[in-house]
Amino acid sequence: NASRLLIRWGLKSALDSSAVKPHAIVFHRYNTGERVGYTRWGDIMDEQYGAPYLHIHRADYHAMLLRLAKAAPGVTVRLGAFVTDVQPDPTAEGGPSVTLAGGEVIHADLIVGADGVKSRIQSVVTGQAPEDPEPTGDCAYRATIPTEILLKDPELKSLVDEPNMMAWMAPGRHLMAYNIRSMQEYNMVLLLPDDGSVEAWDVEGS
């Protein structure tokens, strides 16, 4: 669904230059490497759903959306504008508004609060105190590897030669991996029972 919208918005060439279309999703047993599941994707996704299934680096995706927003008439993108308060009442003086950390008040006809699972303005919309996110019991580690390293290893070369969504399944844990950035990087997501690690993007794990 996302790729369909991005293409409609004129981002097909940007997707072609950075995203990777996986040939298939492949499941393996963790201890033997045996293939236990396979579903062909590739162009079949375009044919069945009218748009491709793609793998893309988060930063490349954000950059595409930023370029699109900056090109739109009347759009101003401001970074470092931390919202501390929201006034949703359309009958208030000046109408709905947000207040920034520096005290600046910005009025708008429409305010969209897309601030995620730890939303600060959820209570403004629902009228209830926001609930803390519930732990899933899982922990995820992420890593990217330059594919040139994989291509030099006979045992790993096939991961790049045939770009698939790869899964290795084990009791209580699994690993997902796939190519991104025009096949220049290999992304891995390793999920396991929560080991009490700190929630952060830059903390090393065992």
Side-chain angles (χ1 to χ4, degrees):
N1 288 331
S3 67
R4 180 182 291 110
L5 287 174
L6 294 171
I7 291 169
R8 184 187 303 168
W9 294 339
L11 292 174
K12 185 178 187 307
S13 61
L15 288 168
D16 290 343
S17 67
S18 62
V20 175
K21 182 188 291 188
H23 294 177
I25 182 168
V26 188
F27 295 90
H28 294 269
R29 192 177 304 280
Y30 77 104
N31 54 350
T32 64
E34 175 191 0
R35 191 172 90 174
V36 294
Y38 180 95
T39 301
R40 171 64 67 179
W41 282 354
D43 292 335
I44 290 176
M45 302 295 273
D46 301 67
E47 295 163 7
Q48 290 188 351
Y49 304 106
Y53 177 88
L54 303 169
H55 291 147
I56 187 167
H57 193 289
R58 185 188 305 261
D60 296 339
Y61 192 27
H62 287 177
M64 284 182 200
L65 295 177
L66 179 61
R67 286 197 303 272
L68 195 67
K70 286 183 173 179
V75 170
T76 301
V77 177
R78 291 180 57 177
L79 303 179
F82 190 82
V83 175
T84 58
D85 189 36
V86 178
Q87 167 51 263
D89 187 357
T91 64
E93 184 179 351
S97 66
V98 295
T99 302
L100 304 184
E104 180 184 0
V105 178
I106 301 174
H107 295 273
D109 295 325
L110 175 68
I111 298 168
V112 178
D115 51 349
V117 68
K118 297 180 180 178
S119 172
R120 290 177 169 269
I121 64 168
Q122 179 181 338
S123 58
V124 174
V125 176
T126 65
Q128 301 174 353
E131 297 180 2
D132 290 333
E134 292 189 21
T136 62
D138 292 318
C139 175
Y141 287 101
R142 298 175 183 269
T144 55
I145 303 171
T147 52
E148 63 182 23
I149 295 175
L150 279 65
L151 289 169
K152 293 176 183 176
D153 188 317
E155 289 189 283
L156 302 177
K157 187 174 182 292
S158 64
L159 297 175
V160 184
D161 288 341
E162 185 173 354
N164 293 320
M165 165 74 93
M166 302 292 286
W168 286 270
M169 302 180 297
R173 60 201 71 209
H174 66 280
L175 187 156
M176 304 298 294
Y178 46 88
N179 291 273
I180 54 175
R181 289 201 154 162
S182 300
M183 308 285 290
Q184 300 303 303
E185 293 184 11
Y186 197 70
N187 185 62
M188 298 192 304
V189 184
L190 304 91
L191 294 107
L192 64 154
D194 191 350
D195 56 3
S197 59
V198 177
E199 182 182 356
W201 292 101
D202 56 358
V203 175
E204 291 188 1
S206 170

